[in-house]
């Protein structure tokens, strides 16, 4: 039987417990799993740099021997071919994810029929969880317990505090100038 190499792509800004749940499931199903952070996303200003996201994902998956973390540019299907991957892993949380995921999977298949998309469902307790919601809750000072690993929670809090202090400094400088 041939080895199945799967790519789990996403923005992971930051990695959540839902992502980690899927990575664990994927690592059991595939021979190798590459968690691939997409660069140049049209998603506004990110919270973490690509390297910071990679570092957190690596720390969180270090005990999984068949999982590696990487950063990619450009089309996902090109990256799959470059890595000799035969599958793309995506998580579906609720029906609302389906339409976008279907469009992406079919478009990827049209561009590269050698790569199959495999959908998996994270545990129900993560079905409401997303990186965007984590960022929003953190910005507004809400609790992140159970949503992200402790180490990520700590990094998110530090990053938000740092960003808020940068904004305050900028306002003070502007006021001093005017
Ligand atoms: O974490 P996300 O935002 O759900 O991930 C979306 C991602 C990164 C998987 C998707 O935007 C992607 O594959 N980007 C790479 C560029 C690409 O191949 N676009 C065409 C998709 S049909």
């Amino acid at each position: 039987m041939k080895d199945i190499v799967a790519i789990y792509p996403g923005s992971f800004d930051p990695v959540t417990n839902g992502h980690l749940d899927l990575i664990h499931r994927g690592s059991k199903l595939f021979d190798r799993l590459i968690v691939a952070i997409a660069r140049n996303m049209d998603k506004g200003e990110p919270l973490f740099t690509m390297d910071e996201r990679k570092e957190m994902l690596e720390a969180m998956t270090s005990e999984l021997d068949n999982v590696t973390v990487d950063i990619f540019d450009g089309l996902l299907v090109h990256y799959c071919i470059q890595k000799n991957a035969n599958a793309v892993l995506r998580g579906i949380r609720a029906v609302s994810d389906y339409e976008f995921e279907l469009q992406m999977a079919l478009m990827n298949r049209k561009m590269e029929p050698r790569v199959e998309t495999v959908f998996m469902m994270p545990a129900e307790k993560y079905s409401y969880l997303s990186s965007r919601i984590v960022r929003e809750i953190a910005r507004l000072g809400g609790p992140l317990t159970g949503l992200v690993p402790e180490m990520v929670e700590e990094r998110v809090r530090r990053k938000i505090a740092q960003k808020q202090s940068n904004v305050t400094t900028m306002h003070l400088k502007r006021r001093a100038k005017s």
Side-chain angles (χ1 to χ4, degrees):
M1 256 195 43
K2 70 173 178 179
D3 271 4
I4 306 284
V5 179
I7 308 283
Y8 178 36
S11 32
F12 306 104
D13 186 28
V15 57
T16 67
N17 285 343
H19 294 132
L20 292 172
D21 178 279
L22 217 73
I23 292 171
H24 278 89
R25 289 173 200 280
S27 79
K28 288 186 204 139
L29 192 66
F30 303 111
D31 296 292
R32 276 202 308 122
L33 181 66
I34 305 172
V35 181
I37 312 164
R39 201 193 292 276
N40 291 337
M41 304 271 306
D42 263 348
K43 277 197 166 183
E45 212 212 315
L47 186 59
F48 289 101
T49 65
M50 302 297 288
D51 287 340
E52 286 168 335
R53 288 180 239 174
K54 183 165 183 264
E55 196 186 301
M56 284 187 274
L57 273 161
E58 276 171 345
M60 293 302 125
T61 57
S62 59
E63 84 283 13
L64 300 171
D65 290 342
N66 63 343
V67 174
T68 51
V69 184
D70 195 14
I71 292 172
F72 77 101
D73 291 292
L75 280 180
L76 173 61
V77 286
H78 289 168
Y79 177 73
C80 290
I81 297 304
Q82 186 197 324
K83 292 286 168 187
N84 282 321
N86 12 42
V88 167
L89 170 64
R90 289 288 288 171
I92 292 214
R93 292 162 297 190
V95 179
S96 50
D97 281 339
Y98 180 74
E99 207 169 326
F100 174 64
E101 293 299 333
L102 176 75
Q103 184 186 26
M104 222 166 42
L106 293 181
M107 187 54 80
N108 283 336
R109 183 193 276 165
K110 183 173 160 57
M111 289 189 284
E112 184 43 80
R114 285 172 291 178
V115 176
E116 281 297 338
T117 300
V118 176
F119 294 114
M120 292 181 88
M121 280 154 292
E124 307 90 283
K125 62 180 171 185
Y126 301 129
S127 57
Y128 54 86
L129 182 53
S130 70
S131 298
R132 188 190 62 74
I133 274 190
V134 166
R135 293 195 299 271
E136 188 167 318
I137 293 174
R139 268 191 198 111
L140 300 172
L144 295 182
T145 321
L147 307 185
V148 294
E150 263 176 44
M151 176 252 208
V152 175
E153 175 170 2
E154 175 59 31
R155 299 276 302 252
V156 171
R157 298 246 176 260
R158 261 193 282 148
K159 181 64 96 173
I160 300 251
Q162 183 192 326
K163 290 213 176 210
Q164 283 168 351
S165 120
N166 289 349
V167 170
T168 313
T169 314
M170 201 178 70
H171 282 311
L172 289 174
K173 276 188 185 162
R174 271 203 199 140
R175 206 183 288 167
K177 268 190 193 166
S178 62

